[in-house]
């Protein structure tokens, strides 16, 4: 059996020591940066090791092939999404709809760099639709949960509708900030203002009691 076949069949090594776990984090961070910059197909194992400042043997020690690196990154990104959106719901309990709108934008700014290679990973995988649905599902469910904490009278279906609108607004803002969408210097701030006004309009009626909540459903 040649070394490539052996590597392909070997499962990733789960390090027990702190030094090993830190090395894995460095390797995955390097892989995430490269795949976000160059795409999955163009990234090589040698480049990952070099970016991490590690020997190629160290990379193969933990990951038998690039597919194993990609699997670990997808799992890592999904776990980050789950944790961040769970924390979002807790923060929403003590904030107004306008403040929650700003928190969501803050989440976009801080979260995207941590999962920036997810899009590149999905494009190269046969199960990309499943991964995309999982990622979007976590985002919509997490935002909807935060909306319902902020406005307890909001029903689940409407919360998911509003969450989907907010998520798409956040994506447009991300495109503006990255110059991937038509924009001007002041447009991002205008979009933030629009997000605040939208959430205030949709959530405030559900924070005032049952009568206002009923009125809010008809808007």
């Amino acid at each position: 059996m040649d070394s490539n076949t052996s590597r392909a069949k070997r499962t990733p090594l789960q390090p027990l020591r702190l030094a090993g776990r830190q090395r894995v984090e460095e390797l995955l961070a390097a892989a995430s940066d490269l795949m976000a910059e160059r795409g999955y197909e163009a990234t090589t194992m040698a480049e990952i090791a070099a970016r991490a400042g590690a020997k190629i043997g160290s990379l193969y020690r933990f990951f038998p092939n690039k597919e194993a690196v990609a699997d670990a990154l997808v799992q890592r990104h999904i776990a980050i999404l789950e944790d961040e959106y769970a924390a979002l719901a807790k923060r929403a309990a003590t904030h107004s709809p306008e403040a929650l709108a700003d928190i969501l934008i803050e989440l976009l700014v801080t979260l995207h760099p941590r999962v920036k290679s997810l899009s590149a990973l999905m494009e190269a995988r046969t199960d990309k639709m499943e991964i995309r649905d999982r990622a979007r599902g976590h985002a919509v469910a997490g935002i909807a949960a935060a909306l319902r904490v902020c406005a307890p009278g909001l029903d689940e279906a409407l919360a998911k509708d509003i969450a989907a609108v907010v998520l798409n607004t956040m994506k447009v803002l991300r495109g503006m900030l990255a110059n991937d969408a038509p924009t001007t210097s002041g447009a991002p701030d205008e979009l933030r203002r629009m997000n605040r006004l939208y959430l205030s309009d949709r959530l405030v009626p559900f924070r005032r009691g049952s009568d206002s909540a009923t009125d809010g459903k008809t808007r």
Side-chain angles (χ1 to χ4, degrees):
M1 183 179 295
D2 62 35
S3 60
N4 289 333
T5 302
S6 177
R7 286 171 181 165
K9 291 186 176 182
R10 182 167 62 79
T11 58
L13 176 67
Q14 299 296 326
L16 299 178
R17 295 183 179 181
L18 177 59
R21 293 196 295 272
Q22 289 177 337
R23 173 57 75 188
V24 166
E25 286 300 309
E26 292 167 358
L27 291 168
L28 289 177
S32 182
D33 288 344
L34 282 166
M35 291 177 187
E37 293 168 11
R38 307 188 59 212
Y40 173 79
E41 295 294 345
T43 299
T44 68
M45 292 289 274
E47 289 171 330
I48 294 171
R51 177 69 67 93
K55 295 181 179 179
I56 189 67
S58 178
L59 176 57
Y60 278 117
R61 177 181 173 226
F62 296 109
F63 301 102
N65 49 47
K66 191 168 68 172
E67 289 76 13
V69 176
D71 288 341
L73 277 175
V74 168
Q75 293 173 16
R76 184 191 200 198
H77 292 339
I78 294 297
I80 288 172
L81 292 175
E82 290 175 345
D83 291 344
E84 289 295 334
Y85 283 113
L88 174 65
K90 294 179 181 179
R91 295 179 66 187
T94 57
H95 289 83
S96 67
E98 294 88 348
L100 180 57
D102 289 337
I103 289 172
L104 288 168
I105 297 302
E106 174 192 331
L107 177 63
L108 165 72
V109 173
T110 59
L111 186 57
H112 178 65
R114 299 175 62 196
V115 296
K116 59 185 175 182
S117 63
L118 188 56
S119 295
L121 287 164
M122 287 190 297
E123 290 306 315
R125 296 175 64 102
T126 57
D127 60 347
K128 64 181 179 181
M129 295 305 298
E130 178 185 347
I131 297 171
R132 181 178 287 116
D133 288 346
R134 284 178 63 192
R136 289 176 177 172
H138 284 306
V140 170
I143 295 172
L147 297 177
R148 296 188 72 195
V149 169
C150 185
L154 192 65
D155 69 63
E156 184 175 359
L158 182 54
K160 287 184 177 180
D161 289 341
I162 297 172
V165 172
V166 171
L167 181 60
N168 279 286
T169 301
M170 291 167 67
K171 289 180 178 179
V172 172
L173 178 59
R174 186 177 68 194
M176 286 182 172
L177 296 175
N179 291 318
D180 291 332
T183 188
T184 61
S185 60
D189 285 338
E190 290 301 306
L191 192 59
R192 291 186 181 94
R193 175 179 172 81
M194 185 182 76
N195 207 35
R196 293 188 198 107
L197 292 171
Y198 173 65
L199 282 190
S200 178
D201 177 71
R202 300 306 287 131
L203 299 190
V204 166
F206 296 95
R207 289 164 56 90
R208 293 176 180 166
S210 58
D211 291 341
S212 295
T214 301
D215 292 340
K217 290 181 182 179
T218 63
R219 290 191 174 195

